[in-house]
Structure formats: structure tokens, C-alpha cells
Amino acid sequence: MLLLDLSLAALEFERAIGEDFSARDHFFEALDLLSGFRGVEPWLFGGVAQVGWTAFQLSRYTGMQLKGLDRFDGMILDWITNFPDDHDVDLPSGLLGLGVYALSHPDPAVREKMTAQLVTVVESRAEHDEHGLFVRLAPYEARLRTRPEVVGHRDLGVAHGSAGLVSFLASLAMSGLPSAQRGEELLRSALGWLMHHRRPLEGTVYPHSVESRYEPSRSAWCYGDPGTAMALAVAARATGSAEVAAEARAVARAALTRPPERAKVMDACLCHGAAGLVWFGCAARAEWEPPEAADFVHHWSGYIHQQRADGPLHYLVRGGFHRDHSFLEGDLGAALAMLTLATGVPPAWAGRMLGAAVLPPEPRP
């Protein structure tokens, strides 16, 4: 899967700089390696959906012909239809990642078939209270083994919780598909629930989860105000709500003005580190032009520069700091965030992260 990350990174450099970085060669090398594996899972990060999504981007930006998607589509539709109860309605390794694949698909019929079924699964998995719709973290094996205390938590973040669900449903509502109206109805309920749980605390607005609402969240894409602000901006676009737009701006400003020493940043990665904040700062500057964005981006890009000046970047995982070359938690993500800052070209991967709308590909002339 690292070769797929490399293909994406090469594509972004090709788009931004206009030079050949062998994006397609890396992609086909990845396909050759994957052809020898059995039991590859369907996920958008580390699975079949990542293969297909990367192919969609290569087709869109380089004209690469798409072949053999039927077997990917069949597997992903089957996973959506029979989505297991012990897996999350989330982005990296769950239902929303399959939804991003579906909304990015070049075939409108496939987009509708997958998204309609996905909405049915969300409806069956969601819980409701007087404030709206929400989902809980599922009891999958790895979580039961390593973090059993969070099973059942009502997560609020983009990666695993309500902010991600809101962003995805907003994209579905704007998709023009027959299932868009169902998505919009779910969106309004999920959005009301999320906004009810804002808990301003020590310079933050949204906590990590309802259960941890008395602890200030980190500043990150995966959890906390940076990712939530971007998700709310997508929802504001979908709903046309001035209230949601104002909330997105307020949450973004809270993230931009939070003292860096309180951000809980430990490394330079895209998921929960400085690269994610550089990307957020660039997105905030483009969306709202806040005066604080320049200093924010300068600080966190400087953090990455300083870390790199001390040697190869290391990233925090369970057990300590390690080298990592991947997109989400390693060097490629850090490089792509810095590329966005240097060139101003909006990244194709923003929708994959639910930090921007996931819109259908434009038909080729």
C-alpha cells in the first residue's frame, strides 16, 4: 500500500509542478504486487478502495484508462451491503471510506447503487436522542484488545466520529444522486447532534468524544477543531445555513488562535501532527481569509522544518517514535502538506480526508 501512497504523492507533485514523477508507474507496480496477495480488505486506507480511489484520480488528472473496476466494485458493494456490526462507521477502515470510493466513482449507476445501500446501513446503525443522530465506536477485535474502555463512545472527530459522518453526508447531499435527499435528511439530524455537543474548554470548541467532554481535545485533523471546522464548512455548503457557516468559521478561529503549546502536537504527520495543521491552515486561509492563518501556518511549517533539520522525521505510534513513509502518518503526508503550502494548489486528497466535498468526477469531453 505504500506504493499506492507514493503514486498519489507523485500525482500531486505532477499536478502542482507540471513535471513527471512516475505516478502511473508506481500505481501499476503496486497492482503487480497486490495481485499476489489474497484477503486484501476493502478499506480506503490500506485496502481495495484505496486502489480504486487512486485509479480514479489518475484517470481524472492523467487520462489513464480505467479497467477491471467490476471486481473492486463487487467486493465493495458486498461489504457495504453486509457491513459487519463490529466495524466502525468511520473513514480509514470503515463504512465512510467505502462511501468516499462510491462518491468518487466515474459510473453514476455504481455511485447510486453503493450510496443508496450505504445510507440504508447508516440508518440501521445510527442511534437517536432528542438532539439528533449519532453512531458509536464498535467493538472490533483490535480495539477490545488495546482500548476496550472506548468501545461504545460517541466519537466527535473526522476520522472515526460524527464530524466525518457529517462531512460525508454533506457530500452525498450535494451529489445530485437519487439518494441525495435521504442523505440530506440524515445530515440535518447528524449536524444538529454534533453542534449540540460543542463544549468550549481551554481554547477548544469540540472535544474528542462526548465521554471525554471535560478534557480539551488535541489540535488535529483526526480529532479536534481543525478537522471539525473543515467538516462543518462542507456541511455549510450543502445546507446553505448561515448558522453552520458561522460555526465553521468560529471553530476554525479557535483552532488558529490556540497557543501551540496546548495543541498536543507530538510529530509532523498529517493525521494528528503538524502536517495536518499546515494543511488546515492553508484550507482556512482559502475558505475564510482569517488574519491569524499566516502566523499559524508559519509556526507549524517551521515545526516541520526544525524536526527535519534534526534528522529524518520520526512519528509517534504505540511504543514510541518510529520512521514512517506513509501518507496518513508519515513522510509522504508531511511532504504533501508542505507542497500545498508552497504551491497553493488544492490537494486532490482533501476529499479523501473528508476535509473537502467529495464530488463526482467531471465527465471527459
Side-chain angles (χ1 to χ4, degrees), residues 134-340:
F134 62 93
V135 293
R136 295 182 186 271
L137 295 180
Y140 64 78
E141 182 180 349
R143 179 173 289 146
L144 288 171
R145 187 172 61 252
T146 60
R147 300 190 67 203
E149 73 279 2
V150 304
V151 171
H153 277 202
R154 292 161 291 177
D155 192 295
L156 299 176
V158 175
H160 305 290
S162 286
L165 179 60
V166 160
S167 181
F168 171 77
L169 292 172
S171 288
L172 175 56
M174 293 186 285
S175 68
L177 295 170
S179 53
Q181 183 174 354
R182 293 171 66 198
E184 183 176 356
E185 292 170 358
L186 292 174
L187 168 63
R188 293 187 182 278
S189 182
L191 185 55
W193 188 89
L194 174 64
M195 291 176 62
H196 172 77
H197 288 286
R198 73 188 325 271
R199 291 290 186 274
L201 181 66
E202 296 184 18
T204 63
V205 179
Y206 283 90
H208 182 128
S209 68
V210 174
E211 287 71 22
S212 62
R213 59 190 175 276
Y214 301 117
E215 304 171 15
S217 183
R218 72 174 80 188
S219 290
W221 162 78
C222 54
Y223 299 111
D225 294 335
T228 301
M230 290 191 284
L232 288 169
V234 180
R237 178 179 172 186
T239 61
S241 167
E243 178 187 3
V244 178
E247 177 72 354
R249 180 189 291 268
V251 176
R253 187 173 187 277
L256 292 170
T257 57
R258 187 181 188 186
E261 64 271 15
R262 295 185 180 178
K264 303 183 182 180
V265 169
M266 302 291 289
D267 64 27
C269 79
L270 194 61
C271 177
H272 49 263
L277 297 185
V278 170
W279 167 46
F280 161 69
C282 293
R285 185 162 54 190
E287 181 77 22
W288 300 288
E289 299 183 352
E292 304 89 352
D295 286 344
F296 181 89
V297 170
H298 178 75
H299 175 84
W300 291 112
S301 61
Y303 176 100
I304 297 173
H305 280 302
Q306 183 58 56
Q307 293 278 312
R308 184 66 184 89
D310 293 338
L313 295 173
H314 285 70
Y315 303 89
L316 182 63
V317 296
R318 289 186 182 277
F321 287 88
H322 298 277
R323 295 285 293 123
D324 190 311
H325 304 297
S326 70
F327 167 76
L328 193 59
E329 296 185 316
D331 291 336
L332 290 175
L336 289 176
M338 298 299 279
L339 178 70
T340 299

Side-chain angles (χ1 to χ4, degrees), residues 95-151:
L95 188 67
L96 298 186
L98 305 185
V100 169
Y101 174 94
L103 287 179
S104 304
H105 202 287
D107 186 332
V110 174
R111 287 203 299 273
E112 171 57 19
K113 183 182 294 185
M114 288 186 176
T115 53
Q117 186 58 46
L118 188 143
V119 169
T120 298
V121 176
V122 171
E123 289 170 338
S124 70
R125 287 285 295 270
E127 299 180 45
H128 299 262
D129 62 19
E130 65 272 26
H131 306 298
L133 173 157
F134 62 93
V135 293
R136 295 182 186 271
L137 295 180
Y140 64 78
E141 182 180 349
R143 179 173 289 146
L144 288 171
R145 187 172 61 252
T146 60
R147 300 190 67 203
E149 73 279 2
V150 304
V151 171

Side-chain angles (χ1 to χ4, degrees), residues 2-17 21-23 26 53-54 58 325-327 331-333 335-336 339 349 352:
L2 186 58
L3 278 169
L4 291 175
D5 286 349
L6 184 59
S7 176
L8 171 62
L11 175 63
E12 293 289 26
F13 273 86
E14 289 175 5
R15 291 178 59 233
I17 297 176
F21 284 82
S22 303
H26 297 314
W53 182 90
T54 305
L58 289 168
H325 304 297
S326 70
F327 167 76
D331 291 336
L332 290 175
L336 289 176
L339 178 70
W349 47 264
R352 183 189 181 201

